[in-house]
Amino acid sequence: MGQSESKPAPSSTEHVFTATTPIRFSQDLIDSLQASPETDSTRASDLELHIQSRVTAELKRLESETDTAIKKLEDDLSAAAPTPSKQSSSTISAPDLGRQSVQKEIETLRKRLRERKLREDVVNDKAVESARDDVINCLRINDRRPLDCWKEVEEFKREPGVSISCPSGQWKQKVATLALLASHAPPPFETSSPIPLSYPSYADRKQLASKISRNSLRFSYTQLLSLFVLLGVLALQFLLPTFRPLTFNPARAVFRDNKSFVQSNTAVVPGICDNRDPFDFLPLVSRPHKMSLVEEARRIAAEFEYPAEDVNRGVKEFIREMDEGLEKVGATMSQIPTYVTAVPNGTEKVVGLYLAVDLGGTNFRVCSIDLHGDTTFSLTQSKVAIPRELMVAKTAKDLFAFLAKQIELFLQTHHNDHFEASIRRRNTVSSRDGFKSEEIFSLGFTFSFPVQQIGINKGTLIRWTKGFDIEDAIGKDICQLLQDEIDALHLPVKVAALVNDTVGTLMARSYTSPGKTGTLLGAIFGTGTNGAYVEKLDNVVKLSNGSVSGGASTDFDKSTGEMIINTEWGSFDNHMSVLPDTQYDQALDKASVNPGIQMFEKRVSGMFLGEILRRSILSLMQHPKVQLFRDTDSSSNDHHSTTVISDTSALYHQWGIDTSFLSIVQADQSKDLRITRQTLDRDLGIHAASTEDAEAVKTLVAAIGKRSARLSAVAIGAIVISTGRLGKDSAASEITTEASTSGVDDDNVVDIGVDGSLVEYYPGFEDYIREALREIPEIGEKGEKRIRIGIAKDGSGVGAALIALVASAMEENSKA
């Protein structure tokens, strides 16, 4: 039947029919589809069986064609035999088939027959068969302990038949393949089908392997093409990673050849050692490249160790830089005077409403605080993220206009009556004197960046940190920058005090801490890190020797004999004399916006810990032998799924890992680190990570977090020692802790207020700090117990309000 009869010629007219009603399926069709027993698993099973039947048919067809070719060759040899009458003819044009050439061919054939007979004898050898059966039985009994069968394996190797069959020593490589063929076991590809598979018989494969080894056969192009198609089908089948037999668990054997390992059953087939067979492959070994993953992670983790001797070297250097900063301007550690000379203890009878704003990092917070005067307070707040483009804006006005707008929105939302009253007053007052009676909020401005403070509400920006980089603001009074934008919006707010977040933390802790003892130190361990402490005024030499320039104020209360000093300890040891320095620290510093400075902060604060972890994970992933988050296939993953990393994973982006990730991983005690694996999926886009992957990540997290805490102890210990709060003999003093203060003299307590995500949420952070403090001889175990570390709740807000209160009182006293 021709083409025109089987397929009508296309018509030149095209008809398009459009349904006027939605297409619907009958309920019978839907019921039949739902009741169908066919699933993805059964479809895959049917496809697999179809492939196997095609392979079997192809093998039989090749065998038939091979037999035909051999028979034709034998017939041709018989027909071409020379006769006496033709041997003497001088006109013979056929190939030389004389007696010697024929005899040589016969000898070659006899040699091949002898070799084949020898191999067949070997296969049928009872001793070899018995040894092989012993190995297989042992391995099936010791399925999870293949090394227990080494004796049976050695016996099998010593059999004469084994060495005869494979004199070249190749049998170890081939035995893995032929074991599966000999036992009719499925090859090590994966399938979801539970149905046992059918494969070509052992005799068929043996005969095929022997016949393919005859290099003298002349294959036609059709035969060669068929063979290539067959090999392609087999290769596709073996390489597909989505199939795994559910009902078969083959016995395993391990053979040693120096340091090489092969896993399989055992069998030897004639001819397989001389020529490569169409089933040449090595069974997949469970994740060989990950055998030392955790060990390599521990090696990297060891780079973050910070032993006791380094802690003590760091304390001595920290004290030296503290003294240097008190004597002169421009020292590595700035030691900035704050002009706050009094610290509350919570007994002050203060009642009032104050505003506080906090620019401490990536967020801007506006608060209103009502101080009750009994160590308690009420707080209302709002928080907004700083847009990334404003953190690197061209002018300071862009950033501070945004901050002033947030203050306006806060007043409209939470204090609208006062806000509307001020607007009406501004619209009705005809003289400037009318503004004097207007109620104005005193605002404490918490600004968590290095500032040269020259008054309680005056300070020029020294430099930006924490990802900010606005060149236009350097050297300008940041209080005035904010006040200008507040005035532009006609808000009833006055910037009364400039507050560093650590100073605010110290003030808030001192107001809310138990007992009458004032707080010595306020410290931040969060996005950034810094500390402020109470120093004797006489030790602040640069206030009296004229080192502080730029119009520094001399009008402050000196009666207490003390002043809070903002250390700016993030820049401690910028010259890297005692700080630890790994390749990951170096790479982070080089890629930062301020390379070479804030070196202490880059090893302690939460903003940088995630980046250090990210770089160490990438280093482990790039290791040529222990690559992380990579599976050969799902069988090499203990959760039977292949690990996949998203193209948009946070691993591939600078600052992509947040500190919260470290806290979650460190706290994970779930079975098989399930929570860590889920967090890797959710936060980093790493799907189906194995337990070993999670263990490696947890090892790195623990090392990085512990080093951060021990470095934090250097700063805390140095300030405790430098101020002499423990006394000369700390070992003889009474001890106390935050959890248990009953019956203890509070005068002997050294109170420290802390704030930040690391110290509050990272598991064991305070324990690591205390462990390092005990290793400092000047503190020791008893001195460490006298140190009371407590969380300063909302330090930057309440502390700023307290300082605004002090500033307002100072202004009122000066007017009086």
Side-chain angles (χ1 to χ4, degrees), residues 338 340 342-346 356-360 365 369 377 379 444-448 466 498-514 517-534 564-567 569 716 738 751-757 759-760 788-804:
T338 66
V340 178
V343 177
N345 57 22
V357 295
D358 177 16
L359 182 63
R365 191 164 60 108
I369 298 99
F377 59 89
L379 179 143
F445 184 16
T446 301
F447 189 74
S448 307
K466 306 173 187 176
L498 174 62
V499 184
N500 182 272
D501 57 349
T502 53
V503 181
T505 298
L506 189 156
M507 298 288 283
R509 172 64 184 177
S510 190
Y511 182 78
T512 58
S513 64
T517 302
T519 299
L520 169 65
L521 167 66
I524 300 292
F525 301 107
T527 303
T529 184
N530 192 17
Y533 71 103
V534 180
I564 297 178
I565 299 296
N566 170 22
T567 65
W569 71 33
I716 295 173
E738 176 77 350
D751 192 76
I752 294 175
V754 293
D755 194 10
S757 57
V759 71
E760 190 168 1
R788 181 173 62 194
I789 299 175
I791 298 295
K793 292 297 183 182
D794 196 31
S796 57
V798 178
L802 284 165
I803 298 175

Side-chain angles (χ1 to χ4, degrees), residues 535-557:
E535 181 62 87
K536 293 178 181 179
L537 194 56
D538 292 341
N539 292 338
V540 190
V541 179
K542 59 185 176 184
L543 282 178
S544 58
N545 64 13
S547 297
V548 179
S549 59
S553 175
T554 58
D555 185 16
F556 57 88
D557 183 9

Side-chain angles (χ1 to χ4, degrees), residues 336-594:
I336 302 168
T338 66
Y339 300 92
V340 178
T341 58
V343 177
N345 57 22
T347 62
E348 294 81 4
K349 300 298 182 181
V350 180
V351 180
L353 186 67
Y354 297 88
L355 284 183
V357 295
D358 177 16
L359 182 63
T362 56
N363 295 315
F364 179 66
R365 191 164 60 108
V366 186
C367 314
S368 60
I369 298 99
D370 186 8
L371 302 172
H372 300 160
D374 58 353
T375 73
T376 64
F377 59 89
S378 300
L379 179 143
T380 305
Q381 68 173 345
S382 67
K383 182 184 293 186
V384 63
I386 304 294
R388 180 64 185 172
E389 59 271 16
L390 292 181
M391 296 172 67
V392 291
K394 292 183 179 180
T395 65
K397 180 179 176 62
D398 297 334
L399 174 63
F400 285 92
F402 173 81
L403 303 184
K405 186 64 177 178
Q406 302 309 311
I407 296 173
E408 180 185 43
L409 294 174
F410 178 81
L411 291 177
Q412 289 175 342
T413 303
H414 301 288
H415 302 282
N416 189 58
D417 293 343
H418 183 83
F419 178 75
E420 293 293 339
S422 67
I423 297 300
R424 288 194 301 270
R425 188 177 298 112
R426 287 182 181 275
N427 293 332
T428 57
V429 171
S430 58
S431 70
R432 295 178 57 87
D433 293 339
F435 291 107
K436 292 182 179 179
S437 61
E438 178 181 292
E439 182 181 355
I440 297 176
F441 281 113
S442 292
L443 180 145
F445 184 16
T446 301
F447 189 74
S448 307
F449 301 90
V451 173
Q452 182 62 51
Q453 192 161 358
I454 55 179
I456 199 164
N457 65 343
K458 295 180 182 179
T460 57
L461 178 63
I462 299 173
R463 61 180 177 273
W464 290 103
T465 59
K466 306 173 187 176
F468 283 78
D469 187 18
I470 306 174
E471 188 67 27
D472 178 58
I474 303 296
K476 293 184 179 180
D477 182 355
I478 52 99
C479 288
Q480 191 60 48
L481 288 173
L482 180 59
Q483 188 67 61
D484 290 344
E485 299 304 324
I486 289 174
D487 293 342
L489 296 175
H490 305 292
L491 302 178
V493 176
K494 178 181 179 180
V495 180
L498 174 62
V499 184
N500 182 272
D501 57 349
T502 53
V503 181
T505 298
L506 189 156
M507 298 288 283
R509 172 64 184 177
S510 190
Y511 182 78
T512 58
S513 64
K516 298 180 180 180
T517 302
T519 299
L520 169 65
L521 167 66
I524 300 292
F525 301 107
T527 303
T529 184
N530 192 17
Y533 71 103
V534 180
E535 181 62 87
K536 293 178 181 179
L537 194 56
D538 292 341
N539 292 338
V540 190
V541 179
K542 59 185 176 184
L543 282 178
S544 58
N545 64 13
S547 297
V548 179
S549 59
S553 175
T554 58
D555 185 16
F556 57 88
D557 183 9
K558 303 180 180 65
S559 62
T560 62
E562 296 178 333
M563 179 180 285
I564 297 178
I565 299 296
N566 170 22
T567 65
E568 289 298 334
W569 71 33
S571 61
F572 165 60
D573 196 29
N574 278 344
H575 49 282
M576 296 300 296
S577 63
V578 296
L579 286 178
D581 196 25
T582 68
Q583 58 177 314
Y584 316 107
D585 298 309
Q586 295 169 5
L588 180 149
D589 178 58
K590 185 177 180 180
S592 67
V593 297
N594 54 352

Side-chain angles (χ1 to χ4, degrees), residues 28 134 143 210 395 424 473 493 500 562 628 643 659 665 676 705 800 804:
D28 292 340
D134 291 342
D143 180 39
S210 178
T395 65
R424 288 194 301 270
V493 176
N500 182 272
E562 296 178 333
L628 186 63
T643 305
T659 317
V665 173
T676 296

Side-chain angles (χ1 to χ4, degrees), residues 30-84:
I30 296 174
D31 293 341
S32 64
L33 291 175
Q34 290 178 342
S36 175
E38 187 176 36
T39 63
D40 291 342
S41 175
T42 58
R43 282 194 292 272
S45 196
D46 293 340
L47 175 61
E48 191 172 346
L49 290 173
H50 177 69
I51 292 174
Q52 295 304 319
S53 64
R54 288 286 304 276
V55 170
T56 304
E58 189 68 18
L59 287 172
K60 291 183 178 181
R61 189 183 64 79
L62 287 175
E63 179 184 359
S64 177
E65 291 182 359
T66 303
D67 291 340
T68 303
I70 293 174
K71 186 175 184 306
K72 185 175 181 302
L73 178 61
E74 293 174 350
D75 293 342
D76 291 344
L77 288 174
S78 301
T83 59

Side-chain angles (χ1 to χ4, degrees), residues 553-815:
S553 175
T554 58
D555 185 16
F556 57 88
D557 183 9
K558 303 180 180 65
S559 62
T560 62
E562 296 178 333
M563 179 180 285
I564 297 178
I565 299 296
N566 170 22
T567 65
E568 289 298 334
W569 71 33
S571 61
F572 165 60
D573 196 29
N574 278 344
H575 49 282
M576 296 300 296
S577 63
V578 296
L579 286 178
D581 196 25
T582 68
Q583 58 177 314
Y584 316 107
D585 298 309
Q586 295 169 5
L588 180 149
D589 178 58
K590 185 177 180 180
S592 67
V593 297
N594 54 352
I597 60 177
Q598 298 298 108
M599 303 304 277
F600 183 74
E601 183 175 63
K602 288 174 181 176
R603 287 154 177 77
V604 173
S605 70
M607 177 179 181
F608 299 99
L609 296 189
E611 180 64 9
I612 294 173
L613 175 64
R614 187 185 74 87
R615 292 180 179 274
S616 60
I617 288 176
L618 288 177
S619 174
L620 198 56
M621 289 173 61
Q622 295 164 1
H623 195 289
K625 295 183 179 179
V626 291
Q627 293 173 335
L628 186 63
F629 303 132
R630 183 175 299 178
D631 301 303
T632 305
D633 53 46
S634 60
S635 66
S636 59
N637 185 310
D638 51 5
H639 300 285
H640 306 300
S641 184
T642 303
T643 305
V644 178
I645 304 178
S646 171
D647 293 337
T648 59
S649 171
L651 276 177
Y652 303 136
H653 300 281
Q654 187 179 17
W655 318 117
I657 299 181
D658 187 75
T659 317
S660 60
F661 176 84
L662 281 79
S663 298
I664 293 171
V665 173
Q666 180 66 13
D668 186 11
Q669 300 296 328
S670 61
K671 182 179 180 182
D672 296 332
L673 298 179
R674 174 180 53 83
I675 295 175
T676 296
R677 291 186 285 108
Q678 291 175 348
T679 308
L680 286 168
D681 192 343
R682 183 187 67 244
D683 294 356
L684 304 187
I686 301 174
H687 310 296
S690 69
T691 302
E692 192 176 17
D693 292 332
E695 288 175 357
V697 172
K698 187 176 177 67
T699 299
L700 297 176
V701 165
I704 294 170
K706 184 175 182 179
R707 187 186 71 165
S708 171
R710 291 178 67 83
L711 283 169
S712 303
V714 169
I716 295 173
I719 290 175
V720 170
I721 294 171
S722 176
T723 56
R725 286 297 182 95
L726 286 177
K728 294 182 179 180
D729 187 9
S730 64
S733 302
E734 296 186 38
I735 61 175
T736 186
T737 64
E738 176 77 350
S740 176
T741 59
S742 177
V744 177
D745 185 1
D746 286 336
D747 292 338
N748 286 326
V749 174
V750 179
D751 192 76
I752 294 175
V754 293
D755 194 10
S757 57
L758 271 177
V759 71
E760 190 168 1
Y761 299 116
Y762 188 92
F765 196 83
E766 182 181 340
D767 294 335
Y768 288 142
I769 290 176
R770 291 188 175 278
E771 177 186 69
L773 289 176
R774 290 192 292 269
E775 295 170 358
I776 301 172
E778 294 86 346
I779 296 176
E781 291 189 7
K782 293 186 176 181
E784 174 266 317
K785 292 179 181 178
R786 287 182 56 199
I787 297 174
R788 181 173 62 194
I789 299 175
I791 298 295
K793 292 297 183 182
D794 196 31
S796 57
V798 178
L802 284 165
I803 298 175
L805 169 67
V806 172
S808 298
M810 289 176 59
E811 185 177 5
E812 291 294 330
N813 292 335
S814 64
K815 290 180 180 180

